[in-house]
Amino acid sequence: MTRRDWIMIGGGICTGALLGVGVPKLTRHLGPIFVEASQRAGTVFSTVAEVVATQLERAEDFAAERRAARSSAV
């Protein structure tokens, strides 16, 4: 193993140790922010899904009207 490999392994161990100590504190402090963000994202996604469904329904209605007009003209 080269010196670079040992440095990478040592850096990984140090990073893992720091994350192991720091993540619970970050989760405790940032938890409410994550909850609020996920709720807002859910609201945005549901609104977007509703708009897309409305647009699809309008497109299907338009296509059905065109088919009805075409069949009555024949």
Side-chain angles (χ1 to χ4, degrees), residues 45-67:
F45 288 139
S46 65
T47 303
V48 168
E50 185 178 324
V51 168
V52 168
T54 303
Q55 293 296 326
L56 285 174
E57 186 177 330
R58 291 168 87 187
E60 289 171 357
D61 290 345
F62 179 74
E65 288 174 6
R66 289 193 61 166
R67 270 186 254 125

Side-chain angles (χ1 to χ4, degrees), residues 6-62:
W6 285 108
I7 290 172
M8 294 298 271
I9 290 172
I13 291 171
C14 291
T15 302
L18 288 173
L19 286 175
V21 170
V23 168
K25 289 182 181 178
L26 283 174
T27 304
R28 188 173 49 247
H29 292 296
L30 298 177
I33 293 171
F34 292 144
V35 169
E36 180 70 24
S38 66
Q39 289 174 349
R40 289 184 185 211
T43 302
V44 167
F45 288 139
S46 65
T47 303
V48 168
E50 185 178 324
V51 168
V52 168
T54 303
Q55 293 296 326
L56 285 174
E57 186 177 330
R58 291 168 87 187
E60 289 171 357
D61 290 345
F62 179 74

